[in-house]
Amino acid sequence: MRTLYVSQQNCYVSLQKETLIVKQGEIVQGQVQLPLLEQILIFGKSQVSTQAIRACLWREIPIVYLSRMGYCYGRILPIGRGYRQLCRYQQQLTQTERLITARGIVQAKLKNSRVLLRRQRRRQESELLEKVLQGLDHLVSQVAIADNWDRLMGFEGAGAAQYFSVFGECLTNPEFVFVGRSRRPPGNPVNAILSFGYQVLWNHLLALIELQGLDPYYACLHEGSERHAALASDLIEEFRAPIVDSLVLWLVNKNVMNAQNDFEYRDGGCYLNDLGRKKYLKAFLQRMEEEVQIDDGNKQPRWHLLTTQVKAYKQFVYNPAQVYQPYLIR
Amino acid sequence: MLLYVVAYDIPCDKRRKKVSDLLEGYGIRVQYSVFECVLTVSQYNELHQRLRKKVKLSEDKIRFYPLSAHTLNQIQVWGGPPVTEIPGSTII
């Protein structure tokens, strides 16, 4: 997805012919060709001129407003872009169809977490890690027979807790410590990157879901409500480990992130600052644009994996007999 | 996505400005009246439609050359910017 990320503060986005100009004070920070753009993400306090907003509405380019840590406040969409198209089919999915899909999603999440940890294990042996791998295996089999959502969410939570209990062992950079997942607010740098990373990926998935005409408020695993775009939360599960977690490990272990300079402490939590956000986004893009081999043997940028899953979900909605197959690390 | 070379010859200043403004949105100017655009099929069609409204074909000339992967590797650039690549995202 060709995206304009405005992660610096106090920028001004204006329209000039077919181009968006991003200025910070009098300095032009960047220019983007509007016809080739797919979405705009604005982190924190920057302005977009009405002319630019109108041009984006016209071209169906969503403008997403996020907090500096990536929480999505809302988005500007053209009035013609509703969720009417597939919404009816999504509402007609039966409880059983939704439960089967929800199970598949949780299993894929657990399996992908397991693969990530196992790959780390090759580098360092640890008894604890071994135990967690077995625990995750056990949970995968439990999920397969979970007969209600409470159980399913319970297994999912247990899996996440086990996974994050050893995630810290995969970090080899002594500057960063991770003992457990903390969020709202994230308590330390590693948690800050994880939170920001999930938020960014979540928003990309939301955009792709809307692009495919699916209603993001109807989902299988997460309880949808008018306040929660649950489908994005469903589809992010299978990608957390392969996309965000592995990127975080790389950023930390390869010393790309700096524990002193890239973070700020405020409101009782730890967050990425201007520098850190930019670093993360750059690495994220690089990773997403990297070509990976897909099922038919061809090579596609990693973005393609996300689009494929959203399309697969759409197929499932049209034809629930064709079960949704989540993404599994090859 | 394909690389298209778009070359125009437009005598009227006003129309030429409009065409060049439009092309600035879709590609990179590599010579005074030559653009290179890397576009999807739908973007290419959109460009066609919008350009069509701005030109007067009794006086103006525009050519579009799509380049196949085969010939793409054989492009030679003497002076000026390198061959236009797939546009990426922008971080500010």
Side-chain angles (χ1 to χ4, degrees), chain A residues 1-8 17-18 22 29 32-33 35-36 59 278 281-282 285, chain B residues 17 21-28 38-39 43 46 50 54 87-92:
Chain A
M1 289 199 94
R2 200 175 177 228
T3 309
L4 167 62
Y5 302 87
V6 183
S7 69
Q8 308 249 346
K17 299 277 163 29
E18 299 288 314
V22 187
Q29 295 282 8
V32 182
Q33 293 161 298
L36 307 180
R59 306 201 66 95
K278 218 169 159 178
L281 289 171
K282 205 173 144 212
L285 273 183
Chain B
K17 177 82 169 73
D21 281 346
L22 186 61
L23 282 165
E24 293 272 4
Y26 289 83
I28 305 291
V38 183
L39 303 173
Q43 286 166 342
E46 183 187 279
R50 294 182 68 190
K54 303 215 186 293
S89 297
T90 311
I91 306 169
I92 288 156

Side-chain angles (χ1 to χ4, degrees), chain A residues 8 24 39 83 95 124 132 152-153 206 250 260 271 286 290 319 323 326-327:
Chain A
Q8 308 249 346
Q24 202 177 24
Q39 65 169 345
Y83 314 123
Q95 289 288 86
Q124 56 200 86
V132 167
L152 203 51
M153 290 312 263
L206 180 58
W250 182 82
Q260 265 77 50
Y271 301 92
Q286 217 169 27
E290 218 169 69
N319 178 15
V323 180
Y327 166 75

